[in-house]
């Protein structure tokens, strides 16, 4: 399994970034250790209509500072690996489309081949950062037993010293003969103590990351171009409403004594609502009004967006005294929750099936069947193809269902599945329904 893009959510104060025109050169900020940034940037600049700004660091913890200092210079962020990407996300420094270069099984296989030619003992090795499933598959391809490696999954709270401690422990307690690391800082320490190999991404891995990020950035531009309208219904006039909705970067117009019209675009709306998961402005309005109903609509034209917003407002009224509902083309209405945005690092959202079903406009029975199916899936991992086969539905419908679960905070994309097929590899989701 190959980990690729991780969705990154901009903070509200970054929502007014101008979208790149689809016909102009994109500028990628390439962030990572000094010896990998030129390698990744060179591959990126080989792509048409793409320019790379090289932004190396000496220590991983410099990542957030670099992003904040150069935020106005780039259209998107390309990290040389998952570590700086995770650090930037954890510190809420990512205000533009972002992705990282993944280290595929092919990269690990090449490293194992080199070690074998050098006569290294590969019966016990320690490997950090890489996905354990892909490590096992790669060991099998190399003719090694599956338990030959001890692995450490990277998490945002992990620091270089933790990675070093992991490899030291593997050597001292389990007799690991070779350490394989993806961190430059850990490599610099470990090479003085034990045989160690530092992985570097292959050109193919870099090209895959560049292609994915180009698509993500162009799609972000397309989203910013879509019209988003909102009807806000309050019990009484509110002169502070424009201030509360200002983070959406649009205009607020009073229609009558109780209703207001919000005009913006999809991009800022999606960023402020954390991917259509939450309505941070709803709580502020509820502090001043007993009745607050917000209907948000997205469309390719103002007429289509207005029709969706009217439908969403009607459903918001049916939810209770305070509610916000979003309606978009080809998707179910989404009831936006009040509160802080869910963390992007993993699924965090409503696990009560009744409440989740209500938010998604789905039946509780459907979600219950899905939960039963997930009990037989490894660690709750599923692809649209697997879901389509299990429920005898079209794969397009399965992808739409997974996207709706992702917006509700019950699913998160964790990578892609390499099956050797032509075309874009299927996305693997971790789904958690409680």
């Amino acid at each position: 399994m190959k980990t690729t893009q991780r969705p990154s959510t901009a903070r509200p104060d970054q929502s007014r970034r101008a979208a790149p025109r689809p016909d102009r050169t994109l500028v990628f900020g390439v962030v990572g250790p000094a010896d990998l940034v030129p390698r990744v940037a060179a591959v990126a600049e080989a792509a048409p209509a793409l320019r790379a700004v090289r932004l190396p660091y000496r220590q991983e913890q410099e990542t957030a500072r670099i992003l904040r200092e150069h935020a106005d210079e780039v259209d998107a962020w390309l990290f040389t690996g998952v570590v700086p990407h995770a650090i930037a996300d954890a510190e809420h420094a990512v205000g533009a489309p972002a992705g990282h270069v993944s280290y595929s099984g092919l990269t690990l296989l090449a490293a194992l081949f080199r070690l074998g030619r050098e006569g290294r003992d590969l019966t016990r090795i320690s490997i950090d950062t890489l996905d354990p499933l892909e490590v096992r598959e790669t060991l099998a391809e190399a003719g090694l037993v599956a338990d030959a490696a001890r692995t450490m999954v990277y998490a945002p709270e992990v620091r270089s010293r933790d990675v070093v401690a992991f490899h030291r422990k593997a050597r001292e307690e389990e007799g690991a003969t070779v350490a394989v690391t993806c961190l430059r800082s850990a490599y610099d320490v470990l090479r003085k103590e034990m045989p160690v190999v530092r992985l570097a991404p292959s050109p193919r891995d870099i090209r895959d990351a560049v292609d994915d990020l180009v698509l993500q950035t162009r799609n972000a531009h397309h989203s910013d171009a879509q019209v988003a309208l909102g009807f806000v219904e309050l019990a009484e006039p509110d002169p502070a409403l424009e201030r509360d909705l200002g983070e959406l970067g649009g205009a607020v117009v009073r229609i009558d004594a109780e209703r207001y019209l919000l005009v913006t675009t999809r991009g800022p709306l999606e960023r402020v609502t954390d991917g259509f998961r939450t309505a941070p402005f709803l709580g502020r309005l509820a502090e001043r009004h007993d009745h607050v109903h917000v209907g948000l609509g997205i469309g390719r034209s103002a007429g289509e967006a207005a029709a969706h917003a009217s439908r969403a407002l009607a459903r918001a009224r049916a939810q209770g005294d305070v509610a916000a509902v979003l309606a978009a083309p080809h998707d179910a209405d989404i009831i936006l929750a009040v509160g802080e945005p869910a963390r992007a690092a993993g699924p965090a959202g409503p696990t009560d099936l009744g409440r989740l079903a209500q938010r998604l406009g789905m039946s509780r029975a459907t979600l219950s069947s899905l939960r039963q199916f997930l009990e037989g899936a490894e660690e709750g991992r599923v692809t649209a193809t697997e879901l389509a086969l299990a429920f005898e539905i079209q794969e397009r419908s399965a992808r739409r269902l997974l996207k709706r679960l992702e917006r509700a905070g019950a699913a998160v994309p964790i990578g892609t599945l390499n099956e050797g097929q032509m075309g874009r590899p299927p996305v693997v989701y971790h789904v958690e329904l409680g």
Side-chain angles (χ1 to χ4, degrees):
M1 184 174 296
K2 178 182 176 183
T3 303
T4 53
Q5 300 291 338
R6 291 159 30 93
S8 298
T9 304
R11 310 306 292 172
D13 61 349
Q14 297 166 317
S15 63
R16 293 189 176 93
R17 172 185 298 277
R21 297 193 308 274
D23 58 341
R24 79 162 172 85
T25 297
L26 293 178
V27 180
F28 282 4
V30 181
V31 182
D35 60 334
L36 289 186
V37 165
R39 178 190 185 110
V40 173
V43 175
E45 289 184 327
L50 188 59
R51 181 169 67 86
V53 176
R54 292 161 169 79
L55 300 170
Y57 56 63
R58 289 175 294 180
Q59 296 292 329
E60 292 90 355
Q61 302 313 312
E62 298 175 30
T63 301
R65 175 186 60 78
I66 289 174
L67 264 65
R68 293 187 177 107
E69 290 178 355
H70 298 273
D72 295 334
E73 303 173 22
V74 306
D75 298 309
W77 299 108
L78 178 59
F79 299 93
T80 60
V82 65
V83 175
H85 193 174
I87 291 173
D89 267 345
E91 297 193 30
H92 307 299
V94 182
H100 63 264
V101 180
S102 298
Y103 289 47
S104 68
L106 180 62
T107 300
L108 176 59
L109 191 62
L112 295 175
F113 178 76
R114 290 195 303 271
L115 289 168
R117 292 193 63 177
E118 294 172 2
R120 298 289 186 183
D121 180 5
L122 301 180
T123 56
R124 299 299 297 169
I125 56 180
S126 55
I127 304 174
D128 64 60
T129 306
L130 297 186
D131 182 89
L133 178 59
E134 185 154 25
V135 170
R136 290 196 296 270
E137 293 175 347
T138 302
L139 291 177
E141 291 179 10
L144 301 173
V145 294
D147 60 355
R150 182 179 178 186
T151 57
M152 177 186 188
V153 177
Y154 182 81
E157 64 273 13
V158 171
R159 296 292 178 261
S160 178
R161 61 178 178 272
D162 302 316
V163 175
V164 171
F166 157 74
H167 288 290
R168 285 172 175 166
K169 185 176 180 181
R171 186 184 190 193
E172 294 168 2
E173 298 184 4
E174 301 184 25
T177 55
V178 178
V180 178
T181 183
C182 298
L183 273 70
R184 169 64 184 268
S185 55
Y187 172 80
D188 288 340
V189 174
L190 293 171
R191 65 179 178 174
K192 303 172 185 177
E193 306 175 11
M194 64 184 76
V196 59
V197 172
R198 177 169 172 248
L199 294 184
S202 68
R204 190 191 73 174
D205 292 335
I206 300 172
R207 283 193 297 270
D208 286 347
V210 169
D211 291 345
D212 285 347
L213 188 55
V214 167
L215 180 61
Q216 184 187 157
T217 307
R218 297 297 189 195
N219 284 343
H221 166 259
H222 175 69
S223 293
D224 283 346
Q226 283 188 295
V227 179
L229 296 179
F231 292 118
V232 182
E233 194 173 69
L234 305 174
E236 57 188 20
D238 189 344
L241 179 63
E242 186 171 2
R243 178 199 64 197
D244 287 334
L245 300 181
E247 60 191 3
L248 293 169
V252 177
V253 180
R254 185 174 174 181
I255 301 175
D256 53 37
E258 298 180 348
R259 290 185 303 155
Y260 294 80
L261 172 66
L262 166 69
V263 181
T264 183
T265 56
R266 175 173 178 152
L269 178 62
E270 186 168 5
R271 288 189 283 270
V272 170
T273 59
D274 191 30
F276 308 135
R277 297 181 185 185
T278 182
F281 48 82
L282 191 59
R284 297 193 292 269
L285 294 176
E287 293 176 357
R288 302 195 300 271
H289 301 276
D290 294 331
H291 300 277
V292 181
H293 298 125
V294 181
L296 300 165
I298 296 172
R300 290 159 294 187
S301 66
E304 185 179 45
H308 290 143
S310 296
R311 187 183 78 209
L313 181 62
R315 185 167 182 194
R317 293 178 184 136
Q319 297 304 312
D321 293 337
V322 178
V325 175
L326 170 74
H330 313 301
D331 208 346
D333 296 346
I334 300 173
I335 300 174
L336 301 178
V338 182
E340 290 297 318
R343 293 180 60 190
T351 54
D352 175 77
L353 287 189
R355 187 155 60 98
L356 184 58
Q358 183 186 47
R359 282 195 64 198
L360 292 171
M362 299 168 56
S363 71
R364 186 181 181 120
T366 298
L367 286 181
S368 180
S369 299
L370 178 58
R371 183 161 65 178
Q372 281 186 316
F373 168 73
L374 291 170
E375 289 175 356
E378 182 183 358
E379 299 179 357
R381 298 181 177 188
V382 65
T383 66
T385 302
E386 294 167 342
L387 205 59
L389 290 174
F391 289 89
E392 297 181 345
I393 59 177
Q394 292 186 355
E395 191 166 333
R396 180 176 57 186
S397 300
R399 284 196 297 268
R400 191 176 301 162
L401 172 59
L402 288 169
K403 277 293 183 183
R404 283 155 61 182
L405 289 170
E406 181 185 352
R407 289 175 180 173
V412 63
I414 59 173
T416 57
L417 193 62
N418 291 327
E419 297 178 333
Q421 79 282 8
M422 297 294 290
R424 194 176 183 85
V427 177
V428 181
Y429 286 83
H430 172 72
V431 182
E432 189 172 301
L433 299 180

